[in-house]
Amino acid sequence: MSLERFTLVVARLHNQKALFATDVGSGLVSRPKTLPCRYFYDEEGSALFEEICKLPEYYPTRTEREILEVRAGEIVALVASPLTLVELGSGSAEKTRLLIESILGRQATLRYIPIDISQDALKQSSQRLVEDYRRIEIDAIAGDYQEGLGRLPMASDGTRLILWLGSNVGNFHRDEAAKMLRRVAAKMGERDRLLVGIDLRKNRQILEPAYDDSQGVTARFNLNLLARINHELGGRFDLSTFHHRAVYDENIGRIEMYLVSDRAQQVHIDALGMDVSFAAGEAIHTEDSYKYSPAEIDALAEAAGLAVAGQWFDQRRWFSETMFVHQCARLP
Ligand code: AVJ
């Protein structure tokens, strides 16, 4: 039975509901108001994100897939065999299949450790993977990056390829991204490799529609955060009085997403015993999505104590895959 090849541990360290309440409360009293983007991914939000990935305007998923389709063999060849595959923020793990197939082409079995904040996404994707690949064994970890990394076995036996795809790194401010990579690096041995998918700086005419699509899926994804507060914390947000906004700040090199109140209003949140006041046109900042130049990727590596061991682009140079190693590691 395929189930025997799939285990899931829940690495949640905190009471999630209490943490959500605390984060929402402190975000909505800050000026400007903010909400953490990690809370997008409840069951509905994860499904909406999968829909975003298929939108004509949302090029990152398709472009990263294109790079992996062409380069999976080359990428995997830079890691010693046999390897264990680890993935941060695995989501549906659709693109991961390209690497899995390449790896299974050179080793008999594969241990895959996906880490994701969404337990639903982990169960679904893992179930499908064990059904489709008879030689894979999955030890999934449900938790955020920190919780997941804490559960990783030490780099004692064997080699690991750690994946952080989809430009998930883009949600971090640049210095926080370097800190996060440092934390991953601390888990890596000399032979281990880290492959990071990073979206590149480009024209606003391409970027803004990718985050404000014509079918309004990204708007629903963003607004779902308010729906989640309504469901889980007894919020009284009227979703029809807020709209989605996405703007590219070219100097900083990031897309910023907001939920904008169409009118002056007060919103009660039961679980917080709190009334939140909005001025007409006042925005809640819900997400940043940083874009990188190749030089900024080099700077990120340097700041994290890592070296670039390989790098691949699509033909238009819209997206990148970078393989990082410890600065002290010998390259193959
Ligand atoms: C999952 C963080 C990579 O920033 O492109 C997509 C999230 N937000 N559309 C991104 C997202 C709106 C996505 N990441």
Side-chain angles (χ1 to χ4, degrees), residues 209-246:
Y211 291 84
D212 192 3
D213 62 280
S214 59
Q215 294 168 59
V217 180
T218 311
R220 276 156 57 207
F221 174 72
N222 200 4
L223 284 160
N224 179 58
L225 208 42
L226 301 183
R228 183 172 185 182
I229 294 172
N230 286 352
H231 296 147
E232 294 185 23
L233 301 177
R236 310 284 175 80
F237 282 99
D238 175 352
L239 271 57
S240 71
T241 64
F242 285 84
H243 69 267
H244 166 70
R245 188 153 70 93

PDB file of all heavy atoms in Angstrom, residues 209-246:
ATOM      1  N   PRO A 209       0.502  42.991 -13.920  1.00  0.00           N
ATOM      2  CA  PRO A 209      -0.611  42.082 -14.251  1.00  0.00           C
ATOM      3  C   PRO A 209      -0.452  40.678 -13.634  1.00  0.00           C
ATOM      4  O   PRO A 209      -1.444  40.009 -13.368  1.00  0.00           O
ATOM      5  CB  PRO A 209      -0.561  42.001 -15.788  1.00  0.00           C
ATOM      6  CG  PRO A 209       0.153  43.228 -16.212  1.00  0.00           C
ATOM      7  CD  PRO A 209       1.157  43.516 -15.132  1.00  0.00           C
ATOM      8  N   ALA A 210       0.815  40.270 -13.390  1.00  0.00           N
ATOM      9  CA  ALA A 210       1.034  38.951 -12.782  1.00  0.00           C
ATOM     10  C   ALA A 210       0.459  38.904 -11.367  1.00  0.00           C
ATOM     11  O   ALA A 210       0.121  37.833 -10.851  1.00  0.00           O
ATOM     12  CB  ALA A 210       2.527  38.616 -12.760  1.00  0.00           C
ATOM     13  N   TYR A 211       0.352  40.090 -10.745  1.00  0.00           N
ATOM     14  CA  TYR A 211      -0.177  40.168  -9.377  1.00  0.00           C
ATOM     15  C   TYR A 211      -1.530  40.874  -9.319  1.00  0.00           C
ATOM     16  O   TYR A 211      -2.023  41.198  -8.242  1.00  0.00           O
ATOM     17  CB  TYR A 211       0.855  40.851  -8.470  1.00  0.00           C
ATOM     18  CG  TYR A 211       2.065  39.973  -8.273  1.00  0.00           C
ATOM     19  CD1 TYR A 211       3.099  39.955  -9.208  1.00  0.00           C
ATOM     20  CD2 TYR A 211       2.129  39.087  -7.197  1.00  0.00           C
ATOM     21  CE1 TYR A 211       4.191  39.110  -9.059  1.00  0.00           C
ATOM     22  CE2 TYR A 211       3.208  38.246  -7.034  1.00  0.00           C
ATOM     23  CZ  TYR A 211       4.235  38.257  -7.972  1.00  0.00           C
ATOM     24  OH  TYR A 211       5.300  37.415  -7.820  1.00  0.00           O
ATOM     25  N   ASP A 212      -2.103  41.143 -10.481  1.00  0.00           N
ATOM     26  CA  ASP A 212      -3.441  41.746 -10.539  1.00  0.00           C
ATOM     27  C   ASP A 212      -4.077  41.274 -11.845  1.00  0.00           C
ATOM     28  O   ASP A 212      -4.250  42.045 -12.785  1.00  0.00           O
ATOM     29  CB  ASP A 212      -3.328  43.273 -10.481  1.00  0.00           C
ATOM     30  CG  ASP A 212      -4.688  43.926 -10.246  1.00  0.00           C
ATOM     31  OD1 ASP A 212      -5.684  43.190 -10.067  1.00  0.00           O
ATOM     32  OD2 ASP A 212      -4.754  45.180 -10.238  1.00  0.00           O
ATOM     33  N   ASP A 213      -4.446  40.003 -11.874  1.00  0.00           N
ATOM     34  CA  ASP A 213      -4.873  39.351 -13.110  1.00  0.00           C
ATOM     35  C   ASP A 213      -6.287  39.748 -13.517  1.00  0.00           C
ATOM     36  O   ASP A 213      -7.077  40.192 -12.686  1.00  0.00           O
ATOM     37  CB  ASP A 213      -4.793  37.836 -12.929  1.00  0.00           C
ATOM     38  CG  ASP A 213      -5.737  37.360 -11.831  1.00  0.00           C
ATOM     39  OD1 ASP A 213      -5.373  37.482 -10.637  1.00  0.00           O
ATOM     40  OD2 ASP A 213      -6.831  36.888 -12.137  1.00  0.00           O
ATOM     41  N   SER A 214      -6.578  39.568 -14.790  1.00  0.00           N
ATOM     42  CA  SER A 214      -7.854  40.027 -15.355  1.00  0.00           C
ATOM     43  C   SER A 214      -9.045  39.210 -14.851  1.00  0.00           C
ATOM     44  O   SER A 214     -10.167  39.707 -14.841  1.00  0.00           O
ATOM     45  CB  SER A 214      -7.796  39.959 -16.883  1.00  0.00           C
ATOM     46  OG  SER A 214      -7.537  38.635 -17.284  1.00  0.00           O
ATOM     47  N   GLN A 215      -8.788  37.968 -14.383  1.00  0.00           N
ATOM     48  CA  GLN A 215      -9.907  37.165 -13.869  1.00  0.00           C
ATOM     49  C   GLN A 215     -10.168  37.409 -12.384  1.00  0.00           C
ATOM     50  O   GLN A 215     -11.115  36.854 -11.821  1.00  0.00           O
ATOM     51  CB  GLN A 215      -9.626  35.673 -14.078  1.00  0.00           C
ATOM     52  CG  GLN A 215      -9.572  35.265 -15.540  1.00  0.00           C
ATOM     53  CD  GLN A 215      -9.018  33.858 -15.699  1.00  0.00           C
ATOM     54  OE1 GLN A 215      -9.575  32.901 -15.161  1.00  0.00           O
ATOM     55  NE2 GLN A 215      -7.905  33.729 -16.408  1.00  0.00           N
ATOM     56  N   GLY A 216      -9.310  38.203 -11.763  1.00  0.00           N
ATOM     57  CA  GLY A 216      -9.526  38.542 -10.353  1.00  0.00           C
ATOM     58  C   GLY A 216      -9.220  37.422  -9.372  1.00  0.00           C
ATOM     59  O   GLY A 216      -9.672  37.452  -8.227  1.00  0.00           O
ATOM     60  N   VAL A 217      -8.420  36.447  -9.792  1.00  0.00           N
ATOM     61  CA  VAL A 217      -8.084  35.335  -8.886  1.00  0.00           C
ATOM     62  C   VAL A 217      -7.158  35.823  -7.770  1.00  0.00           C
ATOM     63  O   VAL A 217      -7.333  35.474  -6.600  1.00  0.00           O
ATOM     64  CB  VAL A 217      -7.432  34.164  -9.657  1.00  0.00           C
ATOM     65  CG1 VAL A 217      -7.105  33.025  -8.707  1.00  0.00           C
ATOM     66  CG2 VAL A 217      -8.353  33.678 -10.772  1.00  0.00           C
ATOM     67  N   THR A 218      -6.176  36.657  -8.139  1.00  0.00           N
ATOM     68  CA  THR A 218      -5.253  37.180  -7.119  1.00  0.00           C
ATOM     69  C   THR A 218      -6.004  38.060  -6.124  1.00  0.00           C
ATOM     70  O   THR A 218      -5.712  38.038  -4.928  1.00  0.00           O
ATOM     71  CB  THR A 218      -4.093  37.958  -7.781  1.00  0.00           C
ATOM     72  OG1 THR A 218      -3.539  37.151  -8.833  1.00  0.00           O
ATOM     73  CG2 THR A 218      -3.010  38.280  -6.781  1.00  0.00           C
ATOM     74  N   ALA A 219      -6.993  38.797  -6.611  1.00  0.00           N
ATOM     75  CA  ALA A 219      -7.823  39.607  -5.718  1.00  0.00           C
ATOM     76  C   ALA A 219      -8.552  38.702  -4.720  1.00  0.00           C
ATOM     77  O   ALA A 219      -8.593  38.991  -3.519  1.00  0.00           O
ATOM     78  CB  ALA A 219      -8.827  40.426  -6.539  1.00  0.00           C
ATOM     79  N   ARG A 220      -9.088  37.583  -5.203  1.00  0.00           N
ATOM     80  CA  ARG A 220      -9.788  36.656  -4.293  1.00  0.00           C
ATOM     81  C   ARG A 220      -8.828  36.044  -3.288  1.00  0.00           C
ATOM     82  O   ARG A 220      -9.164  35.824  -2.116  1.00  0.00           O
ATOM     83  CB  ARG A 220     -10.500  35.566  -5.105  1.00  0.00           C
ATOM     84  CG  ARG A 220     -11.870  36.025  -5.600  1.00  0.00           C
ATOM     85  CD  ARG A 220     -12.328  35.254  -6.827  1.00  0.00           C
ATOM     86  NE  ARG A 220     -12.381  33.819  -6.611  1.00  0.00           N
ATOM     87  CZ  ARG A 220     -12.231  32.910  -7.591  1.00  0.00           C
ATOM     88  NH1 ARG A 220     -12.006  33.311  -8.830  1.00  0.00           N
ATOM     89  NH2 ARG A 220     -12.308  31.633  -7.325  1.00  0.00           N
ATOM     90  N   PHE A 221      -7.616  35.736  -3.766  1.00  0.00           N
ATOM     91  CA  PHE A 221      -6.562  35.178  -2.913  1.00  0.00           C
ATOM     92  C   PHE A 221      -6.237  36.164  -1.783  1.00  0.00           C
ATOM     93  O   PHE A 221      -6.169  35.786  -0.606  1.00  0.00           O
ATOM     94  CB  PHE A 221      -5.334  34.924  -3.791  1.00  0.00           C
ATOM     95  CG  PHE A 221      -4.088  34.483  -3.089  1.00  0.00           C
ATOM     96  CD1 PHE A 221      -3.972  33.207  -2.552  1.00  0.00           C
ATOM     97  CD2 PHE A 221      -2.979  35.333  -2.996  1.00  0.00           C
ATOM     98  CE1 PHE A 221      -2.797  32.787  -1.934  1.00  0.00           C
ATOM     99  CE2 PHE A 221      -1.811  34.928  -2.379  1.00  0.00           C
ATOM    100  CZ  PHE A 221      -1.717  33.655  -1.844  1.00  0.00           C
ATOM    101  N   ASN A 222      -6.087  37.421  -2.131  1.00  0.00           N
ATOM    102  CA  ASN A 222      -5.766  38.455  -1.154  1.00  0.00           C
ATOM    103  C   ASN A 222      -6.944  38.648  -0.177  1.00  0.00           C
ATOM    104  O   ASN A 222      -6.781  38.628   1.043  1.00  0.00           O
ATOM    105  CB  ASN A 222      -5.447  39.758  -1.911  1.00  0.00           C
ATOM    106  CG  ASN A 222      -4.649  40.760  -1.085  1.00  0.00           C
ATOM    107  OD1 ASN A 222      -4.266  40.470   0.045  1.00  0.00           O
ATOM    108  ND2 ASN A 222      -4.419  41.929  -1.649  1.00  0.00           N
ATOM    109  N   LEU A 223      -8.148  38.787  -0.724  1.00  0.00           N
ATOM    110  CA  LEU A 223      -9.342  39.003   0.113  1.00  0.00           C
ATOM    111  C   LEU A 223      -9.653  37.812   1.016  1.00  0.00           C
ATOM    112  O   LEU A 223     -10.292  37.957   2.064  1.00  0.00           O
ATOM    113  CB  LEU A 223     -10.554  39.307  -0.780  1.00  0.00           C
ATOM    114  CG  LEU A 223     -10.588  40.736  -1.364  1.00  0.00           C
ATOM    115  CD1 LEU A 223     -11.500  40.807  -2.581  1.00  0.00           C
ATOM    116  CD2 LEU A 223     -11.045  41.736  -0.298  1.00  0.00           C
ATOM    117  N   ASN A 224      -9.182  36.627   0.620  1.00  0.00           N
ATOM    118  CA  ASN A 224      -9.424  35.438   1.439  1.00  0.00           C
ATOM    119  C   ASN A 224      -8.829  35.567   2.840  1.00  0.00           C
ATOM    120  O   ASN A 224      -9.279  34.918   3.792  1.00  0.00           O
ATOM    121  CB  ASN A 224      -8.864  34.192   0.733  1.00  0.00           C
ATOM    122  CG  ASN A 224      -9.057  32.928   1.538  1.00  0.00           C
ATOM    123  OD1 ASN A 224     -10.199  32.581   1.882  1.00  0.00           O
ATOM    124  ND2 ASN A 224      -7.980  32.234   1.871  1.00  0.00           N
ATOM    125  N   LEU A 225      -7.811  36.434   2.959  1.00  0.00           N
ATOM    126  CA  LEU A 225      -7.217  36.684   4.271  1.00  0.00           C
ATOM    127  C   LEU A 225      -8.270  37.269   5.228  1.00  0.00           C
ATOM    128  O   LEU A 225      -8.336  36.903   6.400  1.00  0.00           O
ATOM    129  CB  LEU A 225      -6.064  37.678   4.079  1.00  0.00           C
ATOM    130  CG  LEU A 225      -4.878  37.702   5.015  1.00  0.00           C
ATOM    131  CD1 LEU A 225      -4.383  36.327   5.385  1.00  0.00           C
ATOM    132  CD2 LEU A 225      -3.760  38.512   4.357  1.00  0.00           C
ATOM    133  N   LEU A 226      -9.112  38.166   4.700  1.00  0.00           N
ATOM    134  CA  LEU A 226     -10.176  38.756   5.528  1.00  0.00           C
ATOM    135  C   LEU A 226     -11.248  37.703   5.819  1.00  0.00           C
ATOM    136  O   LEU A 226     -11.784  37.639   6.931  1.00  0.00           O
ATOM    137  CB  LEU A 226     -10.792  39.978   4.827  1.00  0.00           C
ATOM    138  CG  LEU A 226      -9.827  41.120   4.500  1.00  0.00           C
ATOM    139  CD1 LEU A 226     -10.582  42.298   3.878  1.00  0.00           C
ATOM    140  CD2 LEU A 226      -9.065  41.571   5.754  1.00  0.00           C
ATOM    141  N   ALA A 227     -11.538  36.854   4.809  1.00  0.00           N
ATOM    142  CA  ALA A 227     -12.515  35.777   5.018  1.00  0.00           C
ATOM    143  C   ALA A 227     -12.028  34.836   6.119  1.00  0.00           C
ATOM    144  O   ALA A 227     -12.802  34.374   6.958  1.00  0.00           O
ATOM    145  CB  ALA A 227     -12.737  35.009   3.713  1.00  0.00           C
ATOM    146  N   ARG A 228     -10.713  34.582   6.124  1.00  0.00           N
ATOM    147  CA  ARG A 228     -10.151  33.695   7.134  1.00  0.00           C
ATOM    148  C   ARG A 228     -10.286  34.301   8.538  1.00  0.00           C
ATOM    149  O   ARG A 228     -10.602  33.601   9.503  1.00  0.00           O
ATOM    150  CB  ARG A 228      -8.674  33.408   6.811  1.00  0.00           C
ATOM    151  CG  ARG A 228      -8.043  32.444   7.784  1.00  0.00           C
ATOM    152  CD  ARG A 228      -6.659  32.006   7.372  1.00  0.00           C
ATOM    153  NE  ARG A 228      -6.179  30.993   8.313  1.00  0.00           N
ATOM    154  CZ  ARG A 228      -4.991  30.426   8.255  1.00  0.00           C
ATOM    155  NH1 ARG A 228      -4.135  30.741   7.293  1.00  0.00           N
ATOM    156  NH2 ARG A 228      -4.635  29.527   9.153  1.00  0.00           N
ATOM    157  N   ILE A 229     -10.065  35.607   8.634  1.00  0.00           N
ATOM    158  CA  ILE A 229     -10.233  36.282   9.928  1.00  0.00           C
ATOM    159  C   ILE A 229     -11.703  36.181  10.361  1.00  0.00           C
ATOM    160  O   ILE A 229     -12.004  35.932  11.528  1.00  0.00           O
ATOM    161  CB  ILE A 229      -9.778  37.761   9.840  1.00  0.00           C
ATOM    162  CG1 ILE A 229      -8.271  37.823   9.581  1.00  0.00           C
ATOM    163  CG2 ILE A 229     -10.142  38.530  11.113  1.00  0.00           C
ATOM    164  CD1 ILE A 229      -7.742  39.217   9.280  1.00  0.00           C
ATOM    165  N   ASN A 230     -12.616  36.335   9.391  1.00  0.00           N
ATOM    166  CA  ASN A 230     -14.041  36.190   9.706  1.00  0.00           C
ATOM    167  C   ASN A 230     -14.348  34.789  10.250  1.00  0.00           C
ATOM    168  O   ASN A 230     -14.976  34.639  11.289  1.00  0.00           O
ATOM    169  CB  ASN A 230     -14.898  36.469   8.473  1.00  0.00           C
ATOM    170  CG  ASN A 230     -14.951  37.961   8.134  1.00  0.00           C
ATOM    171  OD1 ASN A 230     -14.469  38.792   8.897  1.00  0.00           O
ATOM    172  ND2 ASN A 230     -15.541  38.289   6.995  1.00  0.00           N
ATOM    173  N   HIS A 231     -13.866  33.737   9.539  1.00  0.00           N
ATOM    174  CA  HIS A 231     -14.156  32.348   9.951  1.00  0.00           C
ATOM    175  C   HIS A 231     -13.521  31.995  11.278  1.00  0.00           C
ATOM    176  O   HIS A 231     -14.152  31.422  12.159  1.00  0.00           O
ATOM    177  CB  HIS A 231     -13.597  31.343   8.929  1.00  0.00           C
ATOM    178  CG  HIS A 231     -14.226  31.448   7.583  1.00  0.00           C
ATOM    179  ND1 HIS A 231     -13.534  31.200   6.412  1.00  0.00           N
ATOM    180  CD2 HIS A 231     -15.472  31.789   7.218  1.00  0.00           C
ATOM    181  CE1 HIS A 231     -14.337  31.397   5.389  1.00  0.00           C
ATOM    182  NE2 HIS A 231     -15.524  31.747   5.844  1.00  0.00           N
ATOM    183  N   GLU A 232     -12.222  32.304  11.382  1.00  0.00           N
ATOM    184  CA  GLU A 232     -11.463  31.747  12.506  1.00  0.00           C
ATOM    185  C   GLU A 232     -11.447  32.640  13.732  1.00  0.00           C
ATOM    186  O   GLU A 232     -11.241  32.156  14.840  1.00  0.00           O
ATOM    187  CB  GLU A 232     -10.024  31.431  12.063  1.00  0.00           C
ATOM    188  CG  GLU A 232      -9.993  30.309  11.017  1.00  0.00           C
ATOM    189  CD  GLU A 232      -8.581  29.885  10.640  1.00  0.00           C
ATOM    190  OE1 GLU A 232      -7.649  30.103  11.434  1.00  0.00           O
ATOM    191  OE2 GLU A 232      -8.433  29.330   9.539  1.00  0.00           O
ATOM    192  N   LEU A 233     -11.669  33.939  13.533  1.00  0.00           N
ATOM    193  CA  LEU A 233     -11.569  34.848  14.683  1.00  0.00           C
ATOM    194  C   LEU A 233     -12.857  35.647  14.903  1.00  0.00           C
ATOM    195  O   LEU A 233     -12.871  36.607  15.671  1.00  0.00           O
ATOM    196  CB  LEU A 233     -10.384  35.817  14.491  1.00  0.00           C
ATOM    197  CG  LEU A 233      -8.990  35.184  14.314  1.00  0.00           C
ATOM    198  CD1 LEU A 233      -7.938  36.258  14.068  1.00  0.00           C
ATOM    199  CD2 LEU A 233      -8.601  34.346  15.536  1.00  0.00           C
ATOM    200  N   GLY A 234     -13.933  35.246  14.219  1.00  0.00           N
ATOM    201  CA  GLY A 234     -15.176  35.979  14.379  1.00  0.00           C
ATOM    202  C   GLY A 234     -15.073  37.424  13.915  1.00  0.00           C
ATOM    203  O   GLY A 234     -15.622  38.328  14.550  1.00  0.00           O
ATOM    204  N   GLY A 235     -14.367  37.632  12.804  1.00  0.00           N
ATOM    205  CA  GLY A 235     -14.259  38.978  12.240  1.00  0.00           C
ATOM    206  C   GLY A 235     -15.535  39.347  11.513  1.00  0.00           C
ATOM    207  O   GLY A 235     -16.311  38.477  11.109  1.00  0.00           O
ATOM    208  N   ARG A 236     -15.795  40.645  11.375  1.00  0.00           N
ATOM    209  CA  ARG A 236     -17.005  41.103  10.672  1.00  0.00           C
ATOM    210  C   ARG A 236     -16.643  41.885   9.419  1.00  0.00           C
ATOM    211  O   ARG A 236     -17.330  42.845   9.070  1.00  0.00           O
ATOM    212  CB  ARG A 236     -17.845  41.990  11.602  1.00  0.00           C
ATOM    213  CG  ARG A 236     -18.110  41.407  12.962  1.00  0.00           C
ATOM    214  CD  ARG A 236     -19.187  40.317  12.926  1.00  0.00           C
ATOM    215  NE  ARG A 236     -19.328  39.708  14.234  1.00  0.00           N
ATOM    216  CZ  ARG A 236     -20.012  40.225  15.246  1.00  0.00           C
ATOM    217  NH1 ARG A 236     -20.654  41.356  15.098  1.00  0.00           N
ATOM    218  NH2 ARG A 236     -20.069  39.609  16.408  1.00  0.00           N
ATOM    219  N   PHE A 237     -15.551  41.493   8.770  1.00  0.00           N
ATOM    220  CA  PHE A 237     -15.174  42.173   7.530  1.00  0.00           C
ATOM    221  C   PHE A 237     -16.231  41.948   6.462  1.00  0.00           C
ATOM    222  O   PHE A 237     -16.642  40.807   6.224  1.00  0.00           O
ATOM    223  CB  PHE A 237     -13.825  41.655   7.004  1.00  0.00           C
ATOM    224  CG  PHE A 237     -12.636  42.206   7.725  1.00  0.00           C
ATOM    225  CD1 PHE A 237     -12.005  41.461   8.716  1.00  0.00           C
ATOM    226  CD2 PHE A 237     -12.140  43.468   7.415  1.00  0.00           C
ATOM    227  CE1 PHE A 237     -10.895  41.967   9.387  1.00  0.00           C
ATOM    228  CE2 PHE A 237     -11.033  43.985   8.085  1.00  0.00           C
ATOM    229  CZ  PHE A 237     -10.413  43.234   9.073  1.00  0.00           C
ATOM    230  N   ASP A 238     -16.666  43.031   5.810  1.00  0.00           N
ATOM    231  CA  ASP A 238     -17.530  42.938   4.634  1.00  0.00           C
ATOM    232  C   ASP A 238     -16.595  43.002   3.422  1.00  0.00           C
ATOM    233  O   ASP A 238     -16.090  44.070   3.085  1.00  0.00           O
ATOM    234  CB  ASP A 238     -18.528  44.104   4.639  1.00  0.00           C
ATOM    235  CG  ASP A 238     -19.390  44.137   3.378  1.00  0.00           C
ATOM    236  OD1 ASP A 238     -19.120  43.358   2.429  1.00  0.00           O
ATOM    237  OD2 ASP A 238     -20.329  44.958   3.344  1.00  0.00           O
ATOM    238  N   LEU A 239     -16.368  41.831   2.802  1.00  0.00           N
ATOM    239  CA  LEU A 239     -15.361  41.737   1.740  1.00  0.00           C
ATOM    240  C   LEU A 239     -15.669  42.637   0.548  1.00  0.00           C
ATOM    241  O   LEU A 239     -14.765  43.022  -0.191  1.00  0.00           O
ATOM    242  CB  LEU A 239     -15.196  40.282   1.275  1.00  0.00           C
ATOM    243  CG  LEU A 239     -14.154  39.456   2.042  1.00  0.00           C
ATOM    244  CD1 LEU A 239     -14.409  39.407   3.525  1.00  0.00           C
ATOM    245  CD2 LEU A 239     -14.057  38.051   1.470  1.00  0.00           C
ATOM    246  N   SER A 240     -16.959  42.980   0.381  1.00  0.00           N
ATOM    247  CA  SER A 240     -17.325  43.808  -0.773  1.00  0.00           C
ATOM    248  C   SER A 240     -16.905  45.272  -0.576  1.00  0.00           C
ATOM    249  O   SER A 240     -16.996  46.071  -1.495  1.00  0.00           O
ATOM    250  CB  SER A 240     -18.832  43.718  -1.027  1.00  0.00           C
ATOM    251  OG  SER A 240     -19.518  44.398   0.003  1.00  0.00           O
ATOM    252  N   THR A 241     -16.416  45.614   0.639  1.00  0.00           N
ATOM    253  CA  THR A 241     -16.003  47.010   0.878  1.00  0.00           C
ATOM    254  C   THR A 241     -14.486  47.171   0.847  1.00  0.00           C
ATOM    255  O   THR A 241     -13.954  48.221   1.211  1.00  0.00           O
ATOM    256  CB  THR A 241     -16.535  47.508   2.245  1.00  0.00           C
ATOM    257  OG1 THR A 241     -15.928  46.730   3.293  1.00  0.00           O
ATOM    258  CG2 THR A 241     -18.044  47.376   2.322  1.00  0.00           C
ATOM    259  N   PHE A 242     -13.786  46.113   0.424  1.00  0.00           N
ATOM    260  CA  PHE A 242     -12.325  46.185   0.272  1.00  0.00           C
ATOM    261  C   PHE A 242     -11.956  45.764  -1.147  1.00  0.00           C
ATOM    262  O   PHE A 242     -12.634  44.923  -1.738  1.00  0.00           O
ATOM    263  CB  PHE A 242     -11.621  45.232   1.260  1.00  0.00           C
ATOM    264  CG  PHE A 242     -11.631  45.733   2.668  1.00  0.00           C
ATOM    265  CD1 PHE A 242     -12.746  45.504   3.487  1.00  0.00           C
ATOM    266  CD2 PHE A 242     -10.547  46.428   3.190  1.00  0.00           C
ATOM    267  CE1 PHE A 242     -12.769  45.970   4.796  1.00  0.00           C
ATOM    268  CE2 PHE A 242     -10.573  46.891   4.500  1.00  0.00           C
ATOM    269  CZ  PHE A 242     -11.681  46.662   5.306  1.00  0.00           C
ATOM    270  N   HIS A 243     -10.898  46.370  -1.682  1.00  0.00           N
ATOM    271  CA  HIS A 243     -10.419  45.892  -2.983  1.00  0.00           C
ATOM    272  C   HIS A 243      -8.921  45.620  -2.967  1.00  0.00           C
ATOM    273  O   HIS A 243      -8.178  46.132  -2.122  1.00  0.00           O
ATOM    274  CB  HIS A 243     -10.817  46.856  -4.116  1.00  0.00           C
ATOM    275  CG  HIS A 243     -10.103  48.167  -4.080  1.00  0.00           C
ATOM    276  ND1 HIS A 243     -10.617  49.282  -3.450  1.00  0.00           N
ATOM    277  CD2 HIS A 243      -8.914  48.549  -4.600  1.00  0.00           C
ATOM    278  CE1 HIS A 243      -9.771  50.285  -3.576  1.00  0.00           C
ATOM    279  NE2 HIS A 243      -8.725  49.866  -4.266  1.00  0.00           N
ATOM    280  N   HIS A 244      -8.521  44.786  -3.916  1.00  0.00           N
ATOM    281  CA  HIS A 244      -7.141  44.337  -4.068  1.00  0.00           C
ATOM    282  C   HIS A 244      -6.319  45.367  -4.837  1.00  0.00           C
ATOM    283  O   HIS A 244      -6.803  45.937  -5.796  1.00  0.00           O
ATOM    284  CB  HIS A 244      -7.179  43.013  -4.839  1.00  0.00           C
ATOM    285  CG  HIS A 244      -5.860  42.567  -5.380  1.00  0.00           C
ATOM    286  ND1 HIS A 244      -4.842  42.125  -4.582  1.00  0.00           N
ATOM    287  CD2 HIS A 244      -5.387  42.474  -6.655  1.00  0.00           C
ATOM    288  CE1 HIS A 244      -3.801  41.785  -5.341  1.00  0.00           C
ATOM    289  NE2 HIS A 244      -4.109  41.985  -6.600  1.00  0.00           N
ATOM    290  N   ARG A 245      -5.066  45.605  -4.388  1.00  0.00           N
ATOM    291  CA  ARG A 245      -4.175  46.477  -5.153  1.00  0.00           C
ATOM    292  C   ARG A 245      -2.774  45.872  -5.158  1.00  0.00           C
ATOM    293  O   ARG A 245      -2.294  45.381  -4.129  1.00  0.00           O
ATOM    294  CB  ARG A 245      -4.133  47.872  -4.524  1.00  0.00           C
ATOM    295  CG  ARG A 245      -3.374  48.893  -5.358  1.00  0.00           C
ATOM    296  CD  ARG A 245      -3.892  50.304  -5.076  1.00  0.00           C
ATOM    297  NE  ARG A 245      -3.510  50.752  -3.740  1.00  0.00           N
ATOM    298  CZ  ARG A 245      -2.394  51.462  -3.483  1.00  0.00           C
ATOM    299  NH1 ARG A 245      -1.592  51.803  -4.455  1.00  0.00           N
ATOM    300  NH2 ARG A 245      -2.129  51.832  -2.260  1.00  0.00           N
ATOM    301  N   ALA A 246      -2.139  45.883  -6.320  1.00  0.00           N
ATOM    302  CA  ALA A 246      -0.756  45.407  -6.447  1.00  0.00           C
ATOM    303  C   ALA A 246       0.053  46.449  -7.194  1.00  0.00           C
ATOM    304  O   ALA A 246      -0.334  46.868  -8.285  1.00  0.00           O
ATOM    305  CB  ALA A 246      -0.726  44.077  -7.207  1.00  0.00           C
TER     306      ALA A 246
END
